[in-house]
Amino acid sequence: MTEEQEVFHRHIQRAGLKRTAQRDLILEVFLRTEEHLSSEDLYRLVQKEDPEIGQTTVYRTLKLLTDAGLAREVRFGDGRTRYEHNYKHPHHDHLICTSCGKTIEFYSEQLETIQDAIASKHGFETTHHTLRMFGSCSDCRDSSGTPKKEESAAEPRVRFASAPSTH
Amino acid sequence: MTEEQEVFHRHIQRAGLKRTAQRDLILEVFLRTEEHLSSEDLYRLVQKEDPEIGQTTVYRTLKLLTDAGLAREVRFGDGRTRYEHNYKHPHHDHLICTSCGKTIEFYSEQLETIQDAIASKHGFETTHHTLRMFGSCSDCRDSSGTPKKEESAAEPRVRFASAPSTH
DNA sequence: TTGATTGCAAAGCATTTGCATGCTA
DNA sequence: TAGCATGCAAATGCTTTGCAATCAA
C-alpha cells in the first residue's frame, strides 16, 4: 500500500466513511496517471479496468480525494474541472498553450514572495492562489500556422477535447 | 456619446452588425456599474429599465462587448462568468475574500516582469494571464465568524465544491 | 444490523442554439 | 428589402441529487 493510499484510508476512517473497491481503484488509477484529469478522463480510464463503475462515483471520489488532500482542482478555462496530484507534488502555477492545450508547470519562489507581500499590504491572509499564463508554446510557434494538434486551429479559445498535458 | 460607446459602434460597423436599442442600453448599464457583473446581474439591472429585454440578448451582448475590447471575462471560482470593464481600465489581478466575496484589484509591475521572464524561459509567448489570490480580508478576520456583508453568509459568492488545498 | 455507498435516472445550473418574428441599414 | 437581432423555448454540457438496492464495518 502506497503512502497516498494510507493517507486516503486514514481520511476515510477519520470521517467515518467506508473503504470500497471502487474508491481503491479510482485512487489507484488517479495516482498512476501523471496528468490533469477531468472527471470524465478518469472515468474512461477506470472503465477499462472495471466497466461497472459509474460516472457519479468518480465525481464523488474525486471530491473525496480533494478533501483528503491528495488531489487539487485546476481549471484551465474550458469549463471543466480537472484534478492534479496534491501529495508530494507541491504548489506550482501553469503556463497554458491556447493552441495545442499543452500545460507547463512552474514554481518561482520570487513570485510567491511578492504575492505574499501584496496580499499583506491589502490586509489579506491568503489560503491559496492560482496563476495561469495563456499563450503559445514554442512548438506551436515553430510550425507557424500549423498547430501541433489538428483540432486546435478551429477553436480560438482554450478548449481541449481531452487534457494533453506534459509535466 | 461616450468614448466607449464610440468604440462599440465602430466595432459593430466594422463587423457588419447592427446597432439596436437593446445593445445600447446594455452597454450603458454595464458602463455605469463599477462591479464584476455576471450576465444575470446585468440582466436584472437592465430589466429595471426595459423589462422586454431577454437574458439571451444580455449574454450575446456581453460577448460582443468582450470582442469589442470593452469588457473582460473574469472567473472567481463559483462557476459563473463575470465581466469587468476593459477600456481605460488596464490589466490587474485579484484578491478574493472567500468569506464575504469582496474582491480587491491590484497591479504590480514587478510581478508582471517576473512572469514575463518565466514565460520566456519556457519558450512561451503569453497573450494574457490571470492571478487570483484567495483568502480572507481584514474585515472578515476582525469580526471573526461574522462576515461583513449580510448576504454572504447565506450565499457566498465564492464557493468551492470542496476545501481549498493547502500548499 | 446499520448506516454509508453505488449507479441509474432525473434534476440543476449556466450558457448556447434553433427559429419565427421584428428591425436596422 | 436583405440580413442581422431578438426572445422564447428547447437543447447543451458538466455536475449534483434522489432513491432503491447493495455492501462494509
Side-chain angles (χ1 to χ4, degrees), chain A residues 91-93 106-119 129 131, chain B residues 106 108-119 121 131 133:
Chain A
H91 165 74
H92 54 260
D93 295 304
F106 68 88
Y107 176 80
S108 160
E109 190 59 51
Q110 204 185 356
L111 214 52
E112 304 292 318
T113 306
I114 297 174
Q115 285 174 18
D116 288 348
I118 292 170
H129 69 259
L131 168 59
Chain B
F106 69 87
S108 159
E109 190 60 51
Q110 203 185 359
L111 214 50
E112 303 291 318
T113 307
I114 296 173
Q115 285 174 16
D116 289 347
I118 292 171
K121 193 175 81 184
L131 168 59
M133 301 171 66

Side-chain angles (χ1 to χ4, degrees), chain B residues 75-116:
Chain B
R75 266 174 267 262
F76 293 152
D78 64 346
R80 78 183 60 197
T81 306
R82 283 164 213 286
Y83 293 83
E84 60 180 19
H85 297 183
N86 192 34
Y87 186 70
K88 296 195 170 167
H89 188 284
H91 165 74
H92 54 259
D93 295 302
H94 295 102
L95 279 160
I96 302 151
C97 179
T98 48
S99 102
C100 72
K102 182 169 71 186
T103 60
I104 291 180
E105 302 182 347
F106 69 87
Y107 176 79
S108 159
E109 190 60 51
Q110 203 185 359
L111 214 50
E112 303 291 318
T113 307
I114 296 173
Q115 285 174 16
D116 289 347

Side-chain angles (χ1 to χ4, degrees), chain B residues 4-5 8 23-31 65 70:
Chain B
E4 283 92 341
Q5 283 164 336
F8 188 46
R23 287 175 176 175
D24 277 353
L25 177 60
I26 293 170
L27 171 61
E28 194 200 313
V29 175
F30 176 69
L31 289 178
L65 292 180
L70 291 169

Side-chain angles (χ1 to χ4, degrees), chain A residues 95-100 102 133-142, chain B residues 119 122-128:
Chain A
L95 279 160
I96 303 152
C97 178
T98 48
S99 106
C100 72
K102 182 168 72 186
M133 301 171 68
F134 300 91
S136 53
C137 68
S138 48
D139 288 344
C140 287
R141 288 202 315 287
D142 288 348
Chain B
H122 290 282
F124 258 72
E125 260 177 28
T126 56
T127 53
H128 62 291

Side-chain angles (χ1 to χ4, degrees), chain A residues 58-88:
Chain A
V58 178
Y59 270 107
R60 290 192 271 227
T61 304
L62 237 14
K63 196 146 286 180
L64 212 51
L65 292 179
T66 306
D67 290 343
L70 292 169
R72 188 195 290 145
E73 296 184 352
V74 284
R75 267 173 265 262
F76 294 151
D78 63 345
R80 79 183 61 194
T81 306
R82 284 165 213 286
Y83 293 83
E84 60 180 18
H85 298 183
N86 190 36
Y87 186 71
K88 295 196 170 163

